[in-house]
Amino acid sequence: MTEKTVKGPASYFPSIEKKYGRPVGEWQELIRTSPLTRHTELVGWLKSAHGLGHGHANALVAATLAEGR
């Protein structure tokens, strides 16, 4: 039996949930409802307004925008 290894931005999701205490779905909903649209703006906003680290903010934004916001 082989386990599937999660790659890309989703590989950050377990540590994001553990560190910040919110499910990834909540973070993605915040991103989707934000008036900001550009990747860099959203990353900066998550860092400044919500205290996320750069890698975590970048992973959330990348995954959310890849889904079509």
Side-chain angles (χ1 to χ4, degrees), residues 31-38 41-46 69:
I31 293 166
R32 287 183 191 105
T33 59
S34 170
L36 303 172
T37 58
R38 294 182 51 221
E41 293 174 330
L42 289 160
V43 170
W45 171 68
L46 287 172
R69 204 171 154 113

Side-chain angles (χ1 to χ4, degrees), residues 9 39 43 46 53-63:
H39 182 99
V43 170
L46 287 172
H54 182 80
H56 288 157
N58 190 57
L60 285 167
V61 172

